[in-house]
């Protein structure tokens, strides 16, 4: 894999960004030597060419440095959660104020069987069975930039059921074997409950089998969501009024296609590209998404099914379910497409700082490495934006925050002067004119 070489002119800004983040995020590391090794590792992730292993970061002929870094990453008992939480809170206060929390799967293929969490398993993202680790990142994403702040590592059954393997990898007693989607949902719930962040819509792709539980889990904490789903998903709708017996159940694709006369044109600019794109959108209120082994549950919150015709497609090709149906369809579509922003930043920044490169075998070491790679990712993007802006102020424009339910005990970001939203200020109802919405 080709690695991005850091331009010489930006090294000063990124070094300053690393020093600033060390002072802001690592207060939970009480010992000065731990903070110093964190600084060494961060500089190594940003500057080392090739694979970002501990040996490569330490350099040739520096066995003492390698041993100290190995101890700091794989054996030192420092807690990674306070660092990740501080990173997220810092990003909430900076120019890249997020519009959503985006869940991004990460697959790390491996040759052996000793890396924690590795196993032969079917991977939907690859469309095949692979010997790999499966992880998920939770990213704070805006239209201008995105940042990973939390990570989950999915543990196949043998890693939690075999006592010897569990002990060798240092897997905590509380860790269980879950699906990647279940791991991600639990991580979002922890963030929403304990990280003291402004509540944002969660954007993620959810398999049909995981969807009912994901909806119920987020509904318990009033977490807004935009779930990408498959067109084959059965959805229940109708049943209200004299002329609408039911409820009825049909695949999401059929329901959306039946509303093609109510489509609306949305013009927008793809993330990372300069050319525009045109998408047709429509939506339908639904009651629930019944599981295969249970009846339709009583609706706990109104749900909206959103469908899109992309490019020159004759049939709808993308589908999302959301519980924030009071927003304009253009805004919901923009939130859904933040996954493209995350994919760009993952490939352009997170992979070059070595997020996939950890070769240790411990659960603790993997999470330490993922935490420091997230900080290195932030240092590169924040350092680059500092280089572009003479006053260090906000880069780009914010499209506005999610006006979700007020949460007691959760501080909201300070009210700073922000540019106006570029989306339509009022919802546009299907069939209403004008029927063209713009996203710049």
């Amino acid at each position: 894999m080709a690695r991005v070489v850091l331009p010489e002119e930006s090294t000063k800004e990124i070094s300053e960004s690393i020093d600033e983040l060390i002072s802001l995020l690592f207060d939970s590391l009480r010992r000065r030597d731990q903070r110093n090794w964190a600084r060494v590792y961060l500089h190594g992730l940003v500057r080392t060419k090739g694979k970002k292993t501990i040996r490569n970061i330490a350099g040739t002929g520096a066995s003492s440095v390698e041993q100290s870094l190995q101890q700091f990453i794989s054996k030192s008992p420092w807690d990674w959660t306070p660092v990740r939480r501080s990173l997220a809170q810092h990003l909430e206060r900076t120019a890249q104020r997020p519009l959503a929390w985006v869940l991004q799967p990460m697959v790390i293929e491996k040759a052996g069987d000793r890396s924690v969490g590795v196993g032969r398993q079917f991977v939907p993202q690859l469309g095949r069975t692979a010997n790999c680790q499966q992880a998920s990142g939770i990213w704070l994403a805006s239209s201008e930039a995105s940042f990973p702040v939390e990570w989950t590592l999915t543990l196949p059954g043998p890693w939690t059921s075999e006592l010897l393997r569990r002990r060798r990898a240092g897997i905590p007693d509380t860790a269980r074997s879950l699906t990647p989607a279940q791991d991600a949902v639990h991580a979002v719930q922890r963030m929403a409950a304990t990280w003291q962040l402004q509540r944002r819509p969660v954007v993620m792709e959810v398999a049909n089998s995981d969807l009912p539980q994901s909806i119920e889990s987020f509904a318990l904490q009033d977490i807004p969501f935009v779930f990408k789903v498959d067109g084959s998903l059965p959805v229940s709708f109708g049943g209200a009024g004299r002329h609408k017996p039911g409820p009825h159940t049909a695949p999401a694709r059929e329901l959306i296609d039946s509303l093609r006369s109510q489509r609306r044109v949305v013009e927008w600019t793809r993330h990372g590209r300069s050319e525009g794109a045109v998408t047709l959108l429509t939506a339908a209120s639904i009651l629930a998404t019944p599981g295969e082994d249970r009846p339709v549950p009583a609706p706990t919150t109104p749900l909206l099914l959103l469908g899109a015709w992309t490019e020159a497609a004759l049939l709808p090709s993308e589908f999302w379910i959301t519980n924030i149906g009071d927003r304009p369809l253009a805004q919901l579509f923009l939130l859904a497409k933040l996954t493209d922003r995350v994919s760009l930043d993952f490939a352009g920044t997170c992979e070059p700082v070595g997020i996939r490169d950890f070769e240790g075998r411990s659960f603790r070491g993997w999470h330490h490495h993922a935490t420091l790679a997230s900080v290195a990712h932030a240092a590169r993007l924040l350092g680059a934006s500092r280089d572009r802006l003479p006053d260090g102020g906000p880069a780009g424009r914010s499209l506005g925050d999610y006006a979700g339910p007020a949460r007691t005990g959760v501080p909201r970001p300070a009210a700073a002067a922000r540019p106006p939203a570029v989306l339509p200020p009022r919802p546009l109802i299907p069939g209403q004119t004008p029927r063209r919405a713009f996203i710049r």
Side-chain angles (χ1 to χ4, degrees), residues 358-372:
F358 181 65
E359 293 186 343
R361 298 174 180 176
S362 74
F363 183 85
R364 175 185 297 160
W366 189 92
H367 277 282
H368 285 168
H369 171 83
T371 301
L372 290 162

Side-chain angles (χ1 to χ4, degrees), residues 222-373:
D222 294 325
I223 298 174
F225 60 79
V226 180
F227 290 157
K228 187 173 185 179
V229 298
D230 189 81
S232 64
L233 176 74
V235 295
S236 297
F237 59 95
R242 179 185 303 178
H243 304 295
K244 296 181 180 180
H248 305 285
T249 299
R253 181 180 294 106
E254 291 185 11
L255 176 57
I256 289 297
D257 193 49
S258 70
L259 301 173
R260 61 171 49 240
S261 63
Q262 300 180 25
R263 291 180 299 181
R264 167 181 326 157
V265 176
V266 173
E267 296 184 3
W268 59 293
T269 302
R270 300 178 190 276
H271 292 288
R273 303 184 187 178
S274 57
E275 73 272 16
V278 174
T279 298
L280 301 175
L281 298 178
T282 192
S285 297
I286 60 174
L287 302 176
T289 56
E292 295 179 357
D293 57 349
R294 59 178 171 174
V296 177
T300 57
T301 183
L303 297 176
L304 187 73
L305 174 65
L306 175 67
W309 284 256
T310 57
E311 304 300 338
L314 297 177
L315 296 174
S317 55
E318 293 184 305
F319 309 89
W320 300 271
I321 286 179
T322 180
N323 62 348
I324 47 176
D326 58 336
R327 302 290 289 273
L329 295 190
Q331 281 196 12
L332 295 175
F333 179 73
L334 178 61
L335 289 174
K337 284 300 180 180
L338 286 175
T339 54
D340 294 348
R341 173 77 265 168
V342 170
S343 295
L344 283 172
D345 289 336
F346 179 87
T349 304
C350 204
E351 281 198 293
V353 300
I355 186 61
R356 298 180 194 261
D357 290 352
F358 181 65
E359 293 186 343
R361 298 174 180 176
S362 74
F363 183 85
R364 175 185 297 160
W366 189 92
H367 277 282
H368 285 168
H369 171 83
T371 301
L372 290 162

